Amino acid sequence: MHIATVVPISQTVGANRIVPAVAIPYPLGDPKLSREEEYKQRRKIVETALRAVSTHIDTQTVFEVK
Amino acid sequence: MEKIRVVHYINQFFGGIGGEDKAGLEPLVRTGKVGPGIALQNILGDEYEIVATIVCGDNYFVENLEKVKLELLKLIKESNPQIFFAGPAFNAGRYGVACGTICEVVQKELGIPVVTGVFSGSPAAEMFNRNLYIATTADSARGMEEAVRRMVNLGVKLLQKLPIGDPEVENYIPRGIRQNIFSEDLGAKRAVDMLVKKLNQEPFKTEYPMPSFDRVPPAHPVESLSEAVVGLTGCGGIVPKGNPDRIEASSASKYGTYEITGVANLTGEMFESAHGGYDTTYANEDPDRVLPVDVLRDMEREGKIKKLHDIFYSTVGNGTSVENAKRYGQEIAQKFKDAAVNAVMVTST
């Protein structure tokens, strides 16, 4: 699975399971949040990515972080 | 006046020896022109003479790749050519590869002009276009005469050291070479002209073609995450502090292999980003923001995944060529596979 901020680039290069990230300099974090909040957010993204890799797909799919 | 000596390479089929049943044919030499050599000789004209035709079976060639190069080179050398032609191979896979391979060998070892011709969609077109002039041909032998004409045009120009123009004018597979030229109009005007044409749905020609990316079918899903070994890789430039492999801040020429056995999370004391294309302040503060080792270690401990693989691979994705990136990706994927990793998380900055 590809965790990427710029989803259209990920789609262009041909990733199949795509998870949108937070920002270019901190795809899995956010320095504006507290340490705990930031960890929670990172965990959500990782969990979404693991859900993506456990899901059957036939074509390129973007898995939104809930 | 002595004629210019030409040697021509063809396969067993065009050599009139046989089809698939003869594809195992070992290299042999025929004096003078054979098969497509007749058209080649006609178009080359009286100043040239095909002194020898080398014939080899397609299977023999591809199954004995290293050996056949030496065998053919010896035979070609004996005829002392001043220019070498192979094919045209049209859309034939093995034949095209044979033509491209032997042209590369002759060009390198004998230093004479070499030309072949293949269909633009054939594998050989992509394999050899950077090193050779390859005439574009039709996908079958119906296009023989035009194919040979294009090969001759390129060969004669190479021999006479005449300039060779754009691929679409001279009909060869683009070689990926960019040349500076002077233009009447500024870049801004050219860009706007292009945009206007695009908006009017008129044909226009880009000055910078984008690389084309291949597609792969999606992998099967992981059946049980709690049984899965998860690997981490990415192009955010995360490396051990001090960047021991000296991965370049842009146009990375390599990727690094880093062990994280027993590492609970990536700290700014031990790791950093070598990336030169984004503000690395936040990644250096906490590299888990790029490669989420902390979360995956926790999930490993909680039994949500079986294991976080103890090695991560990392490079800098900043002006890195598609060609290099593709190679890194293939190598890294193979290493994960060899280590029985079930799922890989790729993060991009």
Side-chain angles (χ1 to χ4, degrees):
Chain A
M1 52 283 191
H2 189 201
I3 302 176
T5 304
V6 190
V7 170
I9 295 181
S10 181
Q11 288 168 321
T12 303
V13 300
N16 283 321
R17 292 178 169 88
I18 303 167
V19 177
V22 179
I24 299 272
Y26 36 87
L28 289 113
D30 190 343
K32 289 193 297 288
L33 301 176
S34 69
R35 281 277 163 195
E36 293 72 34
E37 289 297 316
E38 190 181 9
Y39 176 89
K40 270 190 207 163
Q41 185 189 39
R42 174 153 58 249
R43 176 136 183 163
K44 263 193 203 169
I45 298 171
V46 170
E47 282 172 352
T48 308
L50 290 173
R51 178 166 58 85
V53 85
S54 321
T55 306
H56 175 87
I57 55 166
D58 294 313
T59 180
Q60 278 189 318
T61 308
V62 178
F63 292 81
E64 296 292 342
V65 180
K66 284 175 190 155
Chain B
M1 201 183 90
E2 265 192 49
K3 293 186 177 188
I4 294 162
R5 298 172 66 83
V6 180
V7 170
H8 186 205
Y9 175 88
I10 52 177
N11 71 356
Q12 85 283 354
F13 176 75
F14 285 101
I17 290 168
E20 281 304 315
D21 55 323
K22 299 287 183 197
L25 178 81
E26 289 187 28
L28 57 85
V29 184
R30 295 266 194 257
T31 307
K33 56 188 188 254
V34 177
I38 297 165
L40 181 61
Q41 179 68 68
N42 283 342
I43 294 167
L44 279 167
D46 289 341
E47 289 173 34
Y48 294 79
E49 186 184 358
I50 300 178
V51 290
T53 302
I54 317 285
V55 189
C56 178
D58 285 335
N59 285 352
Y60 183 83
F61 194 109
V62 295
E63 287 165 11
N64 302 281
L65 206 52
E66 290 312 311
K67 191 170 123 199
V68 79
K69 285 183 191 173
L70 300 175
E71 291 171 349
L72 289 172
L73 184 64
K74 184 167 172 286
L75 297 176
I76 294 162
K77 226 172 166 174
E78 281 166 7
S79 296
N80 196 22
Q82 290 160 281
I83 182 166
F84 179 76
F85 289 94
F90 307 103
N91 199 18
R94 288 165 300 171
Y95 187 23
V97 171
C99 287
T101 305
I102 194 59
C103 278
E104 276 190 343
V105 171
V106 171
Q107 178 170 266
K108 182 162 173 259
E109 300 298 330
L110 304 186
I112 59 170
V114 299
V115 178
T116 184
V118 303
F119 176 60
S120 60
S122 77
E126 242 180 76
M127 288 168 71
F128 302 104
N129 66 329
R130 286 180 179 266
N131 289 335
L132 301 175
Y133 279 98
I134 306 173
T136 48
T137 74
D139 60 355
S140 80
R142 281 193 304 277
M144 179 64 83
E145 188 173 328
E146 180 60 22
V148 173
R149 209 172 281 288
R150 290 174 174 189
M151 285 165 57
V152 167
N153 166 57
L154 292 167
V156 169
K157 282 188 173 159
L158 286 171
L159 190 72
Q160 298 179 352
K161 298 196 163 43
L162 295 171
I164 293 176
D166 281 349
E168 54 269 40
V169 178
E170 307 265 12
N171 298 303
Y172 61 93
I173 313 268
R175 304 187 60 196
I177 296 170
R178 287 166 62 75
Q179 238 172 347
N180 286 327
I181 54 164
F182 286 100
S183 172
E184 299 251 311
D185 296 320
L186 287 174
K189 182 173 184 307
R190 302 202 304 276
V192 172
D193 286 347
M194 219 184 283
L195 179 63
V196 169
K197 281 187 181 165
K198 188 174 183 177
L199 290 170
N200 290 334
Q201 300 190 332
E202 289 165 21
F204 64 93
K205 196 182 143 201
T206 177
E207 294 182 13
Y208 192 82
M210 291 290 113
S212 62
F213 299 102
D214 52 0
R215 288 283 179 269
V216 289
H220 291 297
V222 171
E223 284 183 20
S224 167
L225 276 178
S226 58
E227 297 294 311
V229 179
V230 177
L232 264 181
T233 184
C235 59
I238 301 298
V239 293
K241 196 109 181 171
N243 189 10
D245 294 321
R246 302 218 164 271
I247 295 179
E248 298 87 341
S250 72
S251 304
S253 67
K254 55 191 158 236
Y255 61 88
T257 302
Y258 303 115
E259 205 178 316
I260 45 166
T261 312
V263 174
N265 75 92
L266 301 185
T267 62
E269 283 77 51
M270 288 176 72
F271 293 88
E272 66 181 356
S273 175
H275 207 291
Y278 69 89
D279 178 358
T280 52
T281 311
Y282 311 104
N284 289 339
E285 251 171 39
D286 183 359
D288 289 313
R289 287 171 174 156
V290 178
L291 289 178
V293 169
D294 57 349
V295 169
L296 286 166
R297 281 285 184 229
D298 287 347
M299 293 181 83
E300 176 184 69
R301 207 178 46 245
E302 294 160 19
K304 300 258 169 48
I305 60 169
K306 185 178 169 196
K307 193 171 166 35
L308 168 61
H309 188 50
D310 281 326
I311 290 168
F312 75 81
Y313 301 95
S314 181
T315 190
V316 167
N318 182 22
T320 307
S321 71
V322 173
E323 205 178 334
N324 277 346
K326 195 170 168 178
R327 181 167 59 79
Y328 305 159
Q330 282 165 344
E331 288 180 18
I332 291 168
Q334 191 58 52
K335 287 176 181 173
F336 277 132
K337 263 178 111 168
D338 293 345
V341 170
N342 307 97
V344 176
M345 205 170 274
V346 185
T347 69
S348 288
T349 48

